[in-house]
Amino acid sequence: MSRLPLTVGIIANPASGRDVRRLTANAGLFSSTDKVSVIQRLLAAFGATGIERVLMPTDMTGIAAAVQKNSHSRQARDSHWPALEFLDLTLRQSVEDTRKAARWMAERGVALIAVLGGDGTHKAVAAEVGDIPLLTLSTGTNNAFPELREATSAGLAGGLFASGRIPAEIALRRNKRLLVREPARGLHEIALVDVAVSSLPFIGARAISRAADLAEVFVTFAEPQSIGLSALCGLWLPVTRQEPYGAWMRLDPHAPQALLVPLAPGLLQGCGVRDAGYLQTGVPRPLSLPSGTLALDGEREIEFNLHDRPTVTLDGGGPLSIDVQAALAFTAQERLLAIGREHPQHPVNLQHQDTPGE
């Protein structure tokens, strides 16, 4: 029986880094060309670590087409890119495209999925793939879940894990999540970073960009350097990714204490802090407002009214992700990237290739 090629997936959200916060704040643009560059760096790292096949979805912004075209270049041959296979989706230009691509990759048994996007993109992929690890790459607006990493080093960490050279107990991290439940409505949604309670009655423009619209926020982790809603707790009551609890904060413009918070890149607003505390695992928390909307990982998705009783619960059953720092530390310790003279990138072979006249 023939062995199946070692396969990973890459999902790049074409819409990430392009939302309304380019208008309401000073967020930068992460273009399709930038995403193509990130993917090509991943492919070089995957090729160097033994990945044989990469699955990607098609898109309407030219990302997949550019990668496919560049796969025939000399650079791709010299870097030994893996073989590419594309899923020709019926595109809706919505989050369903991301979910469908993630399901396809899960069905094909990929060893990991590299995700290019923000918090919402990672949440959509995580909801479809179970315990397939995610290699997280930040190309969105307010990115807390995907850490900012150079794609080449991230690709090396992911590729070495997928090829079996780094054990799972070192390379993988289990993430926390927030469960939003309303039994009467059959509501069961997840957030990877934050759930914000807003007084705005309708979903409308999904992003929250005004402190006055916030009443409460729950977070799985909150780092002081974060941008976005999780920065509220990050600058008041920080919680690391590894700690077994989260945090919450109740807001009120008339509170005696206020905090200046970067709600989006270049957008700093004062938020009145009424109360804050730690969020314990497995304990459902009711909301402070009788009606309004809920934003999950930065985007309003759920409306609730006087007859609803939604709760927010922290648990430790979130997705697995590649711990790039730990994986590369193990790589250095075990010298996993040491190469012999037979390797095409050994300096002796490179010197021979560059000899004039040959």
Side-chain angles (χ1 to χ4, degrees), residues 2-325:
S2 60
R3 181 183 66 84
L4 294 175
L6 182 57
T7 304
V8 304
I10 298 177
I11 294 177
N13 181 359
S16 67
R18 295 168 175 267
D19 65 22
V20 71
R21 282 163 286 200
R22 267 94 209 133
L23 302 175
T24 59
N26 291 306
L29 177 68
F30 210 102
S31 69
S32 295
T33 302
D34 295 327
K35 292 167 190 172
V36 170
S37 178
V38 169
I39 291 170
Q40 293 181 172
R41 282 176 266 159
L42 280 175
L43 291 171
F46 287 158
T49 52
I51 304 302
E52 298 166 298
R53 183 175 297 278
V54 168
L55 308 183
M56 285 185 60
T58 54
D59 63 276
M60 295 181 68
T61 63
I63 295 172
V67 172
Q68 185 176 33
K69 178 183 177 182
N70 294 340
S71 69
H72 302 295
S73 67
R74 178 179 176 180
Q75 178 190 13
R77 291 193 301 272
D78 290 347
S79 298
H80 303 281
W81 283 13
L84 295 173
E85 181 179 342
F86 295 91
L87 169 65
D88 191 8
L89 287 168
T90 300
L91 297 169
R92 300 182 182 180
Q93 292 189 279
S94 72
V95 69
E96 182 55 31
D97 295 342
T98 296
R99 291 180 178 274
K100 188 180 293 184
R103 290 195 295 270
W104 171 64
M105 292 176 185
E107 290 166 2
R108 292 290 299 273
V110 296
L112 67 82
I113 299 175
V115 183
L116 283 66
D119 295 336
T121 307
H122 285 81
K123 181 184 72 168
V125 174
E128 303 293 338
V129 302
D131 274 350
I132 297 173
L134 307 183
L135 180 61
T136 67
L137 293 159
S138 173
T139 63
T141 306
N142 292 358
N143 301 315
F145 185 76
E147 296 172 289
L148 190 61
R149 297 281 186 188
E150 212 300 310
T152 312
S153 57
L156 288 173
L160 288 169
F161 161 74
S163 61
R165 300 174 66 187
I166 304 178
E169 59 267 23
I170 290 173
L172 300 185
R173 174 174 61 207
R174 175 71 72 181
N175 294 277
K176 295 175 279 187
R177 64 182 179 176
L178 294 166
L179 306 178
V180 179
R181 295 191 179 108
E182 215 305 317
R185 292 168 53 182
L187 181 67
H188 188 285
E189 297 290 340
I190 67 167
L192 300 181
V193 181
D194 52 60
V195 172
V197 183
S198 172
S199 57
L200 295 170
F202 305 111
I203 290 174
R206 292 179 176 270
I208 295 178
S209 56
R210 296 196 320 156
D213 296 330
L214 287 167
E216 196 169 19
V217 63
F218 304 89
V219 298
T220 56
F221 66 91
E223 298 167 327
Q225 73 272 19
S226 293
I227 299 289
L229 302 183
S230 69
L232 283 158
C233 291
L235 293 169
W236 190 271
L237 197 69
V239 177
T240 69
R241 295 171 189 259
Q242 291 76 29
E243 287 170 317
Y245 49 85
W248 59 271
M249 179 178 285
R250 193 163 296 146
L251 305 169
D252 181 344
H254 304 293
Q257 300 183 93
L259 179 68
L260 189 63
V261 180
L263 291 179
L267 179 65
L268 292 132
Q269 293 191 0
C271 300
V273 181
R274 173 65 62 187
D275 201 3
Y278 292 113
L279 193 61
Q280 301 304 318
T281 302
V283 181
R285 296 271 310 193
L287 308 184
S288 60
L289 292 184
S291 64
T293 48
L294 292 176
L296 279 61
D297 290 331
E299 295 192 347
R300 282 180 291 144
E301 300 180 22
I302 299 169
E303 298 174 4
F304 64 98
N305 57 44
L306 292 170
H307 305 291
D308 299 321
R309 296 291 184 271
T311 60
V312 178
T313 308
L314 177 75
D315 83 0
L320 291 169
S321 61
I322 302 292
D323 187 330
V324 173
Q325 185 172 344

